[in-house]
């Protein structure tokens, strides 16, 4: 109620919550709980199913590269407040999260995206997958080791973009359990 959101909306997961209200709700929750990393902690409780039917395209792709291209291409169906970009630079790949408009400066949203990206890659590549490094557009937090323990890779703060940096060789990795029929169904 404090942000003008009807509490009944929270009872129906299929109802659309405008981005500005969702961001305000997350920011308020972080403030009220005094939990500085609420966004990241929330991301650890989610799996790829939160992106809806896009997850069928991703999980049933032949390779990690095909999965990431589908994820980037159709991400706007899940979140219109940000874009994704997949860019290859030599032997490395950058998976960028590019917020736009409202929420651009939200630490909670940025941490939620960081954590979800990590979960996605570990779902596709295996639970032991690690980025080469991670770049965050956020200012260095008071306890930077908190994230380092999860990412198991160097994290650079105050960067132009938030992005996972990983080896391009992973793009050709076959996805275990992918089903071409389910992928075709999701594409239709």
């Amino acid at each position: 109620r404090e942000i003008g959101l009807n509490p009944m909306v929270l009872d129906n997961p299929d109802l659309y919550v405008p981005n500005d209200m969702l961001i305000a709700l997350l920011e308020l929750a972080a403030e009220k709980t005094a939990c500085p990393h609420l966004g990241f902690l929330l991301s650890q409780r989610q799996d790829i199913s939160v992106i809806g039917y896009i997850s069928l395209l991703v999980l049933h792709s032949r390779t990690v590269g095909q999965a990431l291209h589908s994820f980037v291409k159709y991400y706007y169906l899940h979140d219109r407040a940000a874009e994704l970009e997949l860019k290859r630079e030599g032997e490395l790949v950058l998976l960028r999260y590019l917020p736009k408009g409202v929420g651009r400066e939200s630490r909670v949203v940025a941490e939620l995206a960081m954590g979800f990206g990590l979960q996605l890659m570990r779902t596709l590549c295996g639970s032991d997958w690690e980025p080469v490094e991670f770049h965050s557009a956020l200012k260095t937090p008071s306890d930077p080791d908190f994230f380092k323990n999860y990412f198991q890779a160097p994290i650079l703060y105050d960067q132009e973009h938030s992005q996972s940096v990983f080896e391009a060789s992973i793009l050709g990795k076959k996805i275990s359990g992918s089903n071409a029929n389910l992928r075709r169904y999701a594409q239709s």
Side-chain angles (χ1 to χ4, degrees), residues 78-93:
H78 171 70
D79 180 2
R80 294 176 193 243
E83 294 175 352
L84 299 177
E85 179 181 86
L86 191 62
K87 184 176 181 181
R88 186 166 180 163
E89 291 187 356
E91 297 303 312
L92 297 176
V93 174

Side-chain angles (χ1 to χ4, degrees), residues 111-125:
E111 289 180 1
L112 185 59
M114 283 170 51
F116 182 78
L118 179 65
Q119 293 287 86
L120 171 69
M121 291 303 292
R122 287 185 174 160
T123 297
L124 296 174
C125 304

